[in-house]
Amino acid sequence: MTHTTEKPFQCDPCDFAFSQKDGLTKHMKTHTGEKPFQCDLCNAAFSQINHLRFHMMTHTGENPFLCGLCNKAFSQKNQIKDHRMIHIGEKPFQCDLCDCAFSQKGNFTQHMKTHSGEESFQCDLCSSTFSQKDYLTQHMRTHTGEKHFQCDLCDSVFSRKGHLTRHVRTHTGEKPFKCDMCNSAFSQKGNLTQHMRTHTGEKPFQCELCDSAFSLKDSLTKHMRTHTREKPFQCDLCESSFSLRDSLAHHMRTHTGEEHFQCNLCDSAFSRKGHFTRHMRTHTGEKPFQCGLCNSAFSQKGNLTQHIRTHTGEKPFQCDLCNAVFSRKNYLKFHLMTHTGEKPFQCGLCNKAFIQKNDLKNHLMIHTQEKPFQCDLCDSSFSIKSSLIKHMRTHMREAFPA
């Protein structure tokens, strides 16, 4: 009957039919729940003897079906059949609702649940539901703290096999995920996905409060803090807090005095690599950031960004307390002090205070009698540049009387 496709053995509770009586007998156990085949090594039980046979391989580690293309091994023949489709690129399971296609039926079935919203696996300990049984199993470990997967090369243990697989690559240096457009390779598939956006320019993470978009979800999270003013990273040694973890790490060096990056051309040392890189350009004179609208070039990318705004007139920094807008973030910072009355730079000789450090520097020259700004037309000199500019106007009036 296998040749005639005739199926005379009909299941009464459902519509399934079988060409052989043995097939119907096995199928009926799905209705009765009967599982006569018991594992001797654990409590698992199965309705069919071949299911028990495959299960036993999880204890013995036996994987008799070997892929000839990548040497990956499997415990079941149908698993290697599905696996080979990855190599040939065949994806016979096409979603009718979107453009997604899959090489394995199981992945296709799971994908369809994203359209239907079906979440049939319920956690008994909380309200979480899942579309796949494996997801529920992994979730349960967040309640039990169970970590099955032990690294053979160190003491690390993991609750998910995938996490162990990724961890092992930190020991082996394996980078199986290769970019088709350049020579980059990655240890994790997610890192390759993010890298590909540097080629495609794709920015799928959109800010709901402004027009900004990002290629990485983490970048969007950081950006949102510019709107919310959230600073979740708190210094344990002072009251400072930061929106970025890296900013906190750099700040901590102000307490420890740690300076990793030493200049070989002078005595300067820096706690941040970026500061060290920028400092080296003061020795080399390198200005790698070129304006596309004029001949100006800059040693720092931020300076180029600010310069471009002199062409575009863009002023992206808005004061929340009034309508003032600014082309630079530090201009906004100084402006906000006019609202708060804050003057952080205080003179130690007369207690006069200033909003900007440069204003304090100019003020100190009044006490020191230093006058570095010399008039080219007479012997006058001034402690503040603005005073020199005012003085030059007296010469202009003399040269060009009204």
Side-chain angles (χ1 to χ4, degrees), residues 250 253 261 270-278:
H250 296 321
R253 292 178 188 146
F261 305 99
F270 302 88
S271 60
R272 303 188 186 187
K273 186 177 181 180
H275 291 175
F276 170 66
T277 301
R278 290 196 290 269

Side-chain angles (χ1 to χ4, degrees), residues 312-331:
T312 63
E314 181 190 7
K315 293 184 178 181
F317 301 102
Q318 170 88 39
C319 176
D320 295 332
L321 300 172
C322 69
N323 295 324
V325 290
F326 303 90
S327 61
R328 299 188 183 187
K329 188 175 182 179
N330 61 323
Y331 291 171

Side-chain angles (χ1 to χ4, degrees), residues 10 38 52 69 111 206 264 267 269 311 324 337 361 382:
Q10 176 75 40
Q38 176 80 39
L52 172 61
L69 296 172
H111 166 77
Q206 176 74 44
N264 296 325
D267 295 331
H311 294 294
M337 292 177 185
K361 182 180 176 181
F382 303 88

Side-chain angles (χ1 to χ4, degrees), residues 38-84:
Q38 176 80 39
C39 174
D40 295 331
L41 300 174
C42 69
N43 296 325
F46 303 89
S47 61
Q48 298 182 34
I49 193 169
N50 62 322
H51 292 176
L52 172 61
R53 188 179 299 117
F54 295 138
H55 167 78
M56 292 303 295
M57 292 177 184
T58 64
H59 293 296
T60 63
E62 181 185 1
N63 290 315
F65 300 100
L66 185 67
C67 174
L69 296 172
C70 69
N71 293 326
K72 196 169 184 180
F74 302 88
S75 59
Q76 299 182 37
K77 189 175 182 178
N78 66 317
Q79 289 175 338
I80 193 170
K81 180 180 177 183
D82 291 341
H83 167 77
R84 282 173 179 157

Side-chain angles (χ1 to χ4, degrees), residues 147-151 154-160 163-164 167:
K147 293 184 178 181
H148 276 302
F149 304 99
Q150 171 76 45
C151 176
C154 71
D155 295 331
S156 300
V157 289
F158 302 89
S159 60
R160 300 187 184 185
H163 292 175
L164 172 61
H167 165 78

